[in-house]
Amino acid sequence: MNYTVIIPARLKSTRLPDKPLADIGGKPMIVRVVEQALQANAKMVVVATDDMRIQDAVALAGYACVLTRADHPSGTDRLAEAVDRLGLADDEIVVNVQGDEPLIDPALIDAVAATLAADPALPMATASHAIGSVTDFLNPNVVKVVTGATGRALYFSRAPIPWPRDAFAGDRSALPLDVVPQRHIGIYAYRAGFLRTYRDLSPSPLEGIEALEQLRVLWHGYGIGVHVAAHAPAAGVDTPEDLERVRQLLAQQNY
């Protein structure tokens, strides 16, 4: 299976300024992400950025980077421009790895790419894992996904879905044993041609209501395959506290 990893990265971050360049054990975080992605079976790993400082950091480490426009409204739009700049054929698979995931599991990258490769009719795939606590289930910051018999996404929501009506009628202190809700993992695989199509899809009312960009795909009638991971992935870096946690973890591993 041949596929390409593209890592969109930009410096703007309200909670952690210059996040991609944050030092983790002597290397910028974006370089750490690239090195994790290179352990997967992708034929190519490329950073897509609008900032020369990120490009310079990636190039200094000896890795590939493409410079994109600065006015993209989302990482997906930046991905689409990168696909054009790389000249990828419409049927090639592209995995979008976030630039703030220095601990991402290479096996997860492979699995999402394989989910898309296994179904030629799908334009897109993502991942999920089982939610184990009622606290996470009820948390609107934990995005849930419900799938159908074929493993395709039916809906993504910040609301607790599917709602166990009968079980929760009397007790909401724990999840019922026969309910295994799924938490969405923010990694995506696309066919390159669909990324080109995505640019022309109008925003949907649902994505505005839920603040979930992937709902645009379902709204317009396209399918999204979902790989169910055996466990939760390592958390990304959103805050200074997250950054310190990753620094300490990698220091303990001498990595």
Side-chain angles (χ1 to χ4, degrees):
M1 177 183 60
N2 288 326
Y3 71 91
T4 296
V5 169
I6 300 180
I7 307 171
R10 64 192 188 103
L11 283 180
K12 294 180 181 178
S13 173
T14 56
R15 288 185 288 183
L16 188 58
D18 294 348
K19 180 165 64 170
L21 299 179
D23 180 84
I24 300 177
K27 298 179 182 179
M29 178 162 60
I30 188 63
V31 171
R32 292 282 186 182
V33 178
V34 171
E35 291 176 344
Q36 283 296 104
L38 284 169
Q39 295 179 51
N41 292 310
K43 67 176 183 179
M44 179 168 55
V45 176
V46 183
V47 173
T49 186
D50 61 359
D51 193 283
M52 288 297 299
R53 287 173 291 173
I54 294 177
Q55 183 186 50
D56 290 346
V58 173
L60 183 63
Y63 302 127
C65 185
V66 294
L67 200 61
T68 61
R69 302 197 322 266
D71 59 349
H72 288 300
S74 71
T76 310
D77 294 287
R78 192 177 312 284
L79 213 67
E81 183 187 351
V83 161
D84 287 341
R85 290 188 175 276
L86 294 170
L88 299 184
D90 281 349
D91 61 349
E92 290 198 50
I93 291 175
V94 175
V95 176
N96 177 2
V97 171
Q98 300 298 324
D100 57 3
E101 299 280 354
L103 302 178
I104 190 166
D105 184 355
L108 178 62
I109 301 174
D110 285 336
V112 174
T115 298
L116 185 55
D119 188 344
L122 280 177
M124 182 173 167
T126 188
S128 70
H129 70 86
I131 294 174
S133 75
V134 72
T135 300
D136 284 345
F137 184 56
L138 298 175
N139 184 351
N141 294 317
V142 174
V143 178
K144 275 69 70 172
V145 58
V146 172
T147 56
T150 62
R152 296 187 181 191
L154 298 176
Y155 193 65
F156 297 84
S157 183
R158 298 183 182 279
I161 57 173
W163 180 258
R165 186 196 65 175
D166 294 341
F168 272 10
D171 182 9
R172 299 182 185 178
S173 63
L175 289 171
L177 294 178
D178 60 344
V179 175
V180 186
Q182 294 290 314
R183 178 177 188 165
H184 177 233
I185 301 172
I187 182 172
Y188 298 97
Y190 305 86
R191 298 194 191 280
F194 181 68
L195 282 167
R196 297 180 173 108
T197 297
Y198 181 90
R199 288 181 295 201
D200 298 325
L201 296 180
S202 60
S204 73
L206 288 176
E207 71 178 280
I209 293 169
E210 295 262 20
L212 297 174
E213 185 184 339
Q214 63 269 37
L215 289 175
R216 183 182 311 185
V217 178
L218 298 184
W219 173 267
H220 286 280
Y222 295 96
I224 302 177
V226 181
H227 163 72
V228 179
H231 52 79
V237 175
D238 289 321
T239 65
E241 292 76 19
D242 293 336
L243 179 61
E244 186 57 32
R245 171 182 51 80
V246 172
R247 283 171 171 164
Q248 292 179 5
L249 179 62
L250 293 183
Q252 291 169 3
Q253 299 175 354
N254 295 318
Y255 184 63

